[in-house]
């Protein structure tokens, strides 16, 4: 398009943003709702395509869903590209082709196959928090390699997910390739002060912090454990005298698929220790690892997930006296309050955290603890989000958190109330749970043995 002057009908609300985006190969733009992210993104793509010096320039705009991309960006793309002489619009594939051969196309992350086999000189990923991470990591990122393409990630915080991880990565980058930008509602004039104040009054504190103050630590009302709670738990430190009289319990979450991990999580009272994480071991190897740990640490009880751990459980029961099979999807011990056993264990883990529980500083644990959502079923029981849905959003299975949750499968008594007795016999923990629930042992609904 050399020699042709083209004026796009766009007056940047934030010209400094475009300048900073153009100066970095990868940029993460965190912005409040109604910032104008989509208009900015479309025009950023359009300017790059118009100036593209390469043959058959290729640019993409990716939204979580193709229908969403069409609804929020297609009209903008056609409007702002219309003044360019010779532009070609393809309604069926949602693309515009410029006279220099560069093309901008809209995609949905819900159909990753449509993105495969392409190359990009530049791409914008809008509302990254709602996308599966493989769309970026396994498809788009490799497609930028051929021609040293760039990427801009835009969105509003929505907990711990790919968008949060990219933002943290951009903040820590020292190569100069990454840029992290944050625009909170007080940083712009996109909304009037009166409107902002009205929304502050009408919305919950967590929702306002997340949507308009761009606070990744803010949680929606249906998050079981907030990021703040999980982070605070990881920062607690206790002297051994505060927990050493409590029985040691272990939760064992056995790997389900090839990319999952087997996690063995020890906990003694208010303090959980560093987990033992192993991968690609068969049932015999996992069982041998647990048996070895038993002889080293002498736990009171070992709770194993029955889902994929049946073979491990069979081996352990022949060697150890304190192994208990815990069906995550089975009935809760308090079936009137919880939808299933997994929901019950996670809720008790939340109460433990709120009561002062300390978790180790292990990569990924805070994110796993603060990811699950909860709801209520038709009977008013607490129901935790499915593990498969958490894995899709988080990008990995919450194995660490599930293993820690297993340590709350059943109440156990403190060491001072009969440690030797427990060592000499196989404890009927289920009977003890019933005794506790019928005769005290609880403080505000939390088993004393869990505190």
């Amino acid at each position: 398009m050399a020699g042709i002057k083209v004026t796009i009908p766009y007056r940047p609300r934030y010209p400094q943003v475009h300048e900073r985006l153009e100066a970095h190969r990868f940029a993460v733009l965190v912005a409040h709702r109604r910032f104008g992210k989509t208009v900015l993104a479309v025009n950023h793509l359009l300017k790059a395509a118009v100036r593209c010096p390469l043959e058959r320039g290729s640019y993409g705009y990716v939204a979580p869903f193709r229908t969403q991309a069409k609804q929020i960006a297609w009209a903008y793309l056609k409007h702002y590209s219309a003044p360019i002489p010779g532009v070609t619009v393809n309604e069926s594939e949602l693309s515009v082709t410029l006279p220099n051969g560069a093309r901008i196309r809209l995609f949905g992350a819900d159909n990753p196959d449509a993105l495969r086999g392409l190359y990009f000189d530049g791409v914008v990923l809008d509302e990254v928090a709602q996308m599966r991470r493989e769309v970026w990591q396994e498809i788009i990122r490799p497609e930028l390699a051929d021609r040293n393409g760039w990427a801009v990630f835009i969105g509003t915080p929505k907990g711990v997910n790919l968008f949060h991880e990219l933002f943290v990565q951009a903040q820590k980058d020292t190569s100069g390739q990454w840029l992290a930008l944050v625009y909170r509602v007080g940083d712009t004039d996109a909304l009037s002060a009166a409107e902002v104040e009205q929304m502050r009054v009408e919305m919950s504190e967590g929702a306002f912090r997340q949507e308009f103050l761009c606070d990744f630590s803010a949680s929606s009302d249906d998050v079981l454990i907030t990021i703040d709670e999980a982070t605070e738990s990881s920062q607690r430190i206790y002297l051994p005298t505060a927990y050493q009289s409590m029985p040691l319990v272990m939760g064992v979450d056995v790997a389900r698929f090839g990319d999952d991990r087997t996690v063995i999580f020890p906990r003694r009272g208010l303090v959980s220790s560093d987990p033992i994480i192993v991968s690609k071991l068969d049932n015999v190897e996992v069982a041998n690892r647990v048996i070895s740990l038993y002889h080293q640490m002498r736990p009171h009880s070992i709770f194993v997930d029955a889902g994929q751990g049946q073979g491990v459980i069979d081996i352990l029961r022949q060697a150890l006296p304190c192994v208990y099979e815990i069906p995550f999807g089975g009935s809760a011990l308090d079936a009137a309050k919880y939808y299933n056993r997994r929901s019950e264990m996670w809720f008790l883990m939340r109460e433990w955290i709120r009561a002062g529980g300390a978790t180790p500083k292990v990569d990924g644990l805070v994110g796993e603890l603060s990811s699950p959502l909860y709801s209520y079923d038709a009977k008013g029981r607490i129901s935790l989000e499915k593990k498969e849905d958490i894995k899709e959003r988080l990008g990995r299975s919450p194995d660490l958190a599930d293993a820690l949750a297993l340590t709350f499968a059943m109440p156990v008594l403190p060491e001072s109330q009969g440690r030797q007795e427990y060592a000499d016999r196989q404890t009927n923990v289920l009977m003890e749970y019933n005794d506790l629930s019928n005769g005290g042992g609880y403080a505000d609904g939390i088993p004393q043995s869990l505190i």
Side-chain angles (χ1 to χ4, degrees):
M1 299 185 65
I4 300 177
K5 183 179 181 180
V6 177
T7 301
I8 297 173
Y10 168 64
R11 178 176 297 177
R13 181 184 290 175
Y14 318 104
Q16 72 279 10
V17 176
H18 288 285
E19 294 172 2
R20 299 194 67 185
L21 295 181
E22 291 170 359
H24 296 81
R25 186 179 180 193
F26 303 109
V28 182
L29 172 59
V30 182
H32 66 82
R33 293 295 177 195
R34 312 311 304 164
F35 172 85
K37 297 184 292 291
T38 303
V39 172
L40 181 149
V42 166
N43 281 281
H44 190 71
L45 286 167
L46 193 54
K47 180 180 178 181
V50 167
R51 294 182 171 185
C52 183
L54 303 174
E55 185 178 359
R56 293 187 300 277
S58 176
Y59 297 85
Y61 169 92
V62 185
F65 302 94
R66 188 175 188 273
T67 54
Q68 181 183 13
K70 182 176 182 179
Q71 290 172 354
I72 66 176
W74 182 229
Y76 288 135
L77 181 56
K78 290 191 293 182
H79 171 72
Y80 289 112
S81 64
I84 301 175
V87 67
T88 301
V89 176
N90 188 319
E91 290 281 350
S92 62
E93 69 171 20
L94 301 181
S95 70
V96 297
T97 303
L98 308 180
N100 65 351
R103 183 175 68 161
I104 305 172
R105 184 176 174 185
L106 274 55
F107 298 91
D110 57 326
N111 183 18
D113 289 339
L115 288 159
R116 297 184 186 277
L118 305 177
Y119 66 90
F120 289 109
D121 296 299
V123 64
V124 170
L125 291 89
D126 193 356
E127 298 296 353
V128 187
Q130 301 177 42
M131 297 183 188
R132 289 177 290 179
R133 67 184 57 236
E134 56 263 31
V135 172
W136 162 246
Q137 295 178 342
E138 300 176 14
I139 302 176
I140 296 178
R141 179 60 184 90
E143 293 173 339
L144 295 172
D146 295 343
R147 310 211 303 188
N148 200 39
W150 53 263
V152 174
F153 309 88
I154 61 177
T156 301
K158 198 176 180 64
V160 177
N161 44 47
L162 174 62
F163 190 44
H164 175 264
E165 292 179 10
L166 291 168
F167 179 68
V168 172
Q169 178 180 344
Q171 286 182 312
K172 294 181 178 179
D173 178 68
T174 58
S175 69
Q177 290 198 83
W178 284 82
L179 170 70
L181 293 174
V182 182
Y183 285 88
R184 301 175 178 84
V185 72
D187 301 329
T188 74
D189 58 359
L191 299 170
S192 69
E195 183 68 14
V196 172
E197 187 57 34
Q198 183 175 349
M199 287 188 293
R200 189 193 303 272
V201 172
E202 295 174 349
M203 300 173 67
S204 69
E205 179 184 359
F208 185 83
R209 283 172 56 196
Q210 175 176 280
E211 302 296 323
F212 291 99
L213 300 183
C214 299
D215 187 350
F216 279 102
S217 69
S219 299
S220 56
D221 296 335
D222 55 354
V223 171
L224 184 68
I225 301 171
T226 68
I227 300 177
D228 289 343
E229 290 172 334
T231 301
E232 183 179 353
S233 177
S234 70
Q235 297 171 346
R236 294 185 181 123
I237 299 176
Y238 289 98
L239 294 174
T241 52
Y243 58 87
Q244 62 188 184
S245 65
M246 300 301 293
L248 175 67
V249 293
M250 284 183 176
V252 182
D253 187 48
V254 181
R256 289 163 173 73
F257 307 105
D259 60 341
D260 290 351
R261 305 157 294 178
T262 291
V263 180
I264 305 167
F265 223 129
R267 180 179 65 84
R268 190 185 291 276
L270 281 174
V271 177
S272 54
S273 306
D274 288 341
I276 296 89
I277 305 171
V278 295
S279 300
K280 304 184 187 307
L281 298 184
D282 61 29
N283 287 343
V284 174
E285 292 172 314
V286 171
N288 286 338
R289 183 66 61 89
V290 175
I291 292 170
S292 175
L293 289 170
Y294 171 82
H295 290 297
Q296 293 175 39
M297 305 173 72
R298 292 291 177 176
H300 171 286
S301 300
I302 300 174
F303 302 119
V304 186
D305 170 24
Q308 292 296 121
Q310 191 59 60
V312 175
I313 293 169
D314 291 341
I315 298 172
L316 291 179
R317 279 179 168 166
Q318 297 178 34
L320 303 178
C322 56
V323 177
Y324 300 93
E325 177 180 351
I326 307 300
F328 271 28
S331 298
L333 297 179
D334 187 351
K337 186 174 181 180
Y338 304 101
Y339 173 71
N340 58 17
R341 195 67 167 277
R342 182 163 174 267
S343 301
E344 182 177 50
M345 291 187 296
W346 269 80
F347 187 86
L348 290 174
M349 179 168 63
R350 183 187 78 168
E351 298 308 297
W352 171 78
I353 288 175
R354 291 182 174 181
T359 55
K361 293 184 178 180
V362 179
D363 288 345
L365 180 57
V366 168
E368 290 185 19
L369 288 172
S370 58
S371 288
L373 309 178
Y374 76 98
S375 58
Y376 292 90
D377 68 2
K379 297 181 179 180
R381 299 176 299 181
I382 295 171
S383 177
L384 192 71
E385 182 181 16
K386 293 181 180 178
K387 185 167 185 173
E388 293 75 16
D389 294 338
I390 299 171
K391 183 175 181 179
E392 181 173 339
R393 187 176 66 256
L394 194 62
R396 62 180 182 274
S397 180
D399 306 316
L400 293 168
D402 271 340
L404 180 56
L406 276 164
T407 67
F408 300 92
M410 297 176 182
V412 292
L413 295 177
E415 298 280 4
S416 59
Q417 297 183 35
R419 179 66 180 94
Q420 188 59 45
E421 180 184 358
Y422 281 119
D424 293 340
R425 66 180 175 85
Q426 289 194 24
T427 308
N428 186 339
V429 184
L430 179 59
M431 182 172 67
E432 288 165 4
Y433 177 92
N434 292 330
D435 290 343
L436 283 169
S437 61
N438 291 329
Y442 279 74
D444 296 328
I446 311 171
Q448 290 281 4
S449 57
L450 300 186
I451 300 176

